[in-house]
Amino acid sequence: MTIGIFGTWDHQFNATEQALTDKIKNNPCYPFTIVKDEAYLFLVQDHHKYTGFLVFSMCLSLWLVCSGAFRRRLVIDHKKKEYRYYIHTHLRHRGPLHQIYIRMIAQKSGQVLLMYKLMLNGYKIEERELSGFSEKYELLECQGRRIATKLNLNYFDYQDTSKRHLVIHRPKIILSANNDRNNPPV
């Protein structure tokens, strides 16, 4: 038998009928309590049902406060042509600008309608929403291209092959020694 605050949670671990049988066995007048030949129903005991929720809420709040201390920061350095991704003060990744981009994402709403949103994404960084879902493709495309141009980043349309991509930065091609001998420059 569980005692104290955990006694109220007993019904969650046993079958309903068994929990009720145990409560009647412990108190023949359940849900009442006999005090000096009078039966009392203490309704204030119901607050124990919410204690678990309170403890869970406090733990969740503490976790959110602690995890908020580890802010994410993305620094775009156009002089060095690289980006740096920090969690709190620790550098997690440094890479060239062609590895981060703004992309439009499409998702079907129901059977027919496409909904669009803009995302900032890249290699070894967390995906970030720049907008919510919208039906207005042209407006979001214009805004996405504008943001990409202002930040000097690549922009990609929701389709993999599209004439609407805006590619500013391309990866550098490094040829190995074997490829140089087999394919001399023209």
Side-chain angles (χ1 to χ4, degrees):
M1 180 176 116
T2 54
I3 299 173
I5 193 171
F6 299 108
T8 59
W9 294 345
D10 193 31
H11 67 281
Q12 295 177 356
F13 300 116
N14 296 332
T16 305
E17 300 83 13
Q18 183 62 39
L20 184 59
T21 303
D22 291 343
K23 288 178 182 179
I24 292 172
K25 204 183 287 184
N26 293 333
N27 180 7
C29 299
Y30 177 81
F32 292 88
T33 303
I34 302 296
V35 177
K36 296 183 182 178
D37 296 331
E38 293 180 353
Y40 290 96
L41 177 63
F42 292 104
L43 299 174
V44 294
Q45 291 180 348
D46 288 342
H47 73 280
H48 290 294
K49 293 179 182 178
Y50 303 107
T51 305
F53 177 73
L54 177 66
V55 170
F56 174 75
S57 299
M58 289 175 59
C59 291
L60 180 65
S61 300
L62 181 64
W63 179 78
L64 288 173
V65 167
C66 291
S67 66
F70 301 107
R71 302 273 181 216
R72 274 74 171 145
R73 190 168 39 130
L74 179 64
V75 178
I76 299 172
D77 189 352
H78 291 293
K79 290 180 183 176
K80 294 182 180 178
K81 296 187 178 184
E82 70 177 15
Y83 71 96
R84 294 183 302 276
Y85 180 65
Y86 295 90
I87 296 180
H88 193 47
T89 58
H90 303 289
L91 177 66
R92 294 296 179 193
H93 184 72
R94 173 182 287 162
L97 286 179
H98 72 269
Q99 291 181 342
I100 60 173
Y101 53 89
I102 294 175
R103 180 167 193 119
M104 180 162 322
I105 297 198
Q107 184 175 351
K108 280 192 177 181
S109 172
Q111 297 295 323
V112 181
L113 191 62
L114 277 177
M115 302 290 286
Y116 305 97
K117 73 177 175 179
L118 292 173
M119 305 292 289
L120 173 69
N121 202 353
Y123 181 67
K124 291 195 176 182
I125 67 170
E126 294 174 5
E127 191 173 56
R128 174 73 191 254
E129 281 188 14
L130 299 178
S131 72
F133 281 106
S134 173
E135 300 172 5
K136 300 178 180 177
Y137 169 77
E138 291 84 13
L139 178 64
L140 277 182
E141 180 199 11
C142 180
Q143 291 173 341
R145 291 174 71 93
R146 180 177 292 144
I147 293 169
T149 303
K150 290 278 187 185
L151 294 175
N152 197 18
L153 295 176
N154 291 338
Y155 169 81
F156 296 106
D157 196 34
Y158 73 96
Q159 297 173 339
D160 290 336
T161 55
S162 173
K163 293 180 180 181
R164 298 177 183 254
H165 295 324
L166 176 64
V167 180
I168 300 170
H169 304 285
R170 296 181 185 270
K172 293 180 182 177
I173 298 175
I174 300 173
L175 298 174
S176 66
N178 291 340
N179 286 344
D180 289 341
R181 279 186 247 139
N182 295 339
N183 301 320
V186 178

